[in-house]
Amino acid sequence: MAGFGTKGLGPTRRAALTLIGAGAFALTGGASVRAATDENEVLTEAKVLRDPDTPVAGNPNGNVTIVEWSDYNCPYCRKLEPELRQVIQDDGKVRLVMKDWPILGPVSVTAARTALAAKFQDKYHQAHDAMMGVSSRLTEPRINELLAAAGVDMDRLKRDLASRGSDIDALLKRNNEQAEAFGFRGTPAFIVGKYRVPGALSMAEFEQVIADARKAKMN
């Protein structure tokens, strides 16, 4: 379940994109159309785009939203991170919703839970950047070392993991249900406006799909 990479996506970029319509995910109307269980629908605008527990970066009032599902041990996610952030910074009107989706083993789960616990001391982004910024596979001792160096209060982190662990696990469960409902098979994976993007794109391709998303929003 590794990432998809960017090989071959240039000339056939549109073949890798799916325009989300009423039959898959009604973003504009907020109606849910696919269920994780018989009772529990997971693909609604509120749950995918506006989950209050999910960290957000970029412009919080942006006119295009990118939703990213990522794993801290995914090499494609790490490679893409600075490029995507540069695109978002240059554009200035993109809101980034950051969905932790730890699918590459127990250490990935530890990394995601730790980053989300850091959110309770307003250090999620520092934790995220620290773990995404390394080139080697993470281990639990390395996670602790990176977060401490990034300014995370590790004693507070342990307390928040203990007291808010069920909330963190519930968020990770929602993230996983949404990714599976969209049919994603690995990380990174994205929703860009009304487009489903099952894999990484280059900076130029992200710029183009953001432009496409703005056009689709107007239609």
Side-chain angles (χ1 to χ4, degrees):
M1 296 264 301
F4 290 87
T6 58
K7 183 178 180 180
L9 284 182
T12 59
R13 177 183 62 84
R14 290 184 183 278
L17 307 180
T18 304
L19 183 62
I20 299 167
F25 176 29
L27 277 174
T28 54
S32 62
V33 293
R34 185 166 180 177
T37 67
D38 289 340
E39 295 86 18
N40 185 29
E41 295 173 323
V42 298
L43 297 188
T44 68
E45 180 179 0
K47 291 178 180 178
V48 176
L49 302 186
R50 305 287 175 184
D51 188 325
D53 295 329
T54 302
V56 173
N59 184 340
N61 300 312
N63 56 20
V64 168
T65 295
I66 295 178
V67 186
E68 177 185 18
W69 283 262
S70 64
D71 185 306
Y72 290 107
N73 263 325
C74 167
Y76 298 102
C77 299
R78 291 173 179 169
K79 180 179 183 298
L80 176 70
E81 179 78 6
E83 298 177 356
L84 177 59
R85 292 304 183 96
Q86 188 64 53
V87 169
I88 291 172
Q89 179 179 323
D90 291 347
D91 183 282
K93 297 181 180 179
V94 175
R95 177 176 175 265
L96 176 64
V97 177
M98 305 167 72
K99 303 271 188 180
D100 288 286
W101 189 27
I103 57 174
L104 298 177
V107 175
S108 291
V109 175
T110 297
R113 295 184 83 250
T114 303
L116 290 168
K119 180 169 67 77
F120 297 108
Q121 53 180 287
D122 296 324
K123 291 292 179 67
Y124 173 85
H125 294 288
Q126 290 88 332
H128 175 92
D129 292 348
M131 290 189 285
M132 280 295 184
V134 297
S135 57
S136 59
R137 191 167 181 84
L138 292 172
T139 63
E140 291 192 30
R142 182 63 170 147
I143 291 170
N144 292 335
E145 177 185 335
L146 288 167
L147 268 61
V152 176
D153 181 334
M154 300 305 289
D155 290 332
R156 166 77 187 273
L157 186 81
K158 291 177 183 178
R159 295 195 298 272
D160 288 331
L161 276 170
S163 63
R164 307 299 293 271
S166 60
D167 295 331
I168 293 169
D169 292 339
L171 175 59
L172 292 176
K173 182 174 183 290
R174 294 198 297 276
N175 292 350
N176 180 69
E177 288 174 344
Q178 291 164 10
E180 291 184 347
F182 275 122
F184 295 137
R185 296 180 290 112
T187 54
F190 303 88
I191 298 297
V192 183
K194 293 184 178 181
Y195 287 95
R196 174 184 172 276
V197 185
L201 300 177
S202 69
M203 289 179 69
E205 288 167 342
F206 263 116
E207 289 170 353
Q208 184 59 57
V209 75
I210 289 168
D212 290 347
R214 285 199 173 101
K215 292 177 183 177
K217 186 177 180 180
M218 296 174 63
N219 295 334

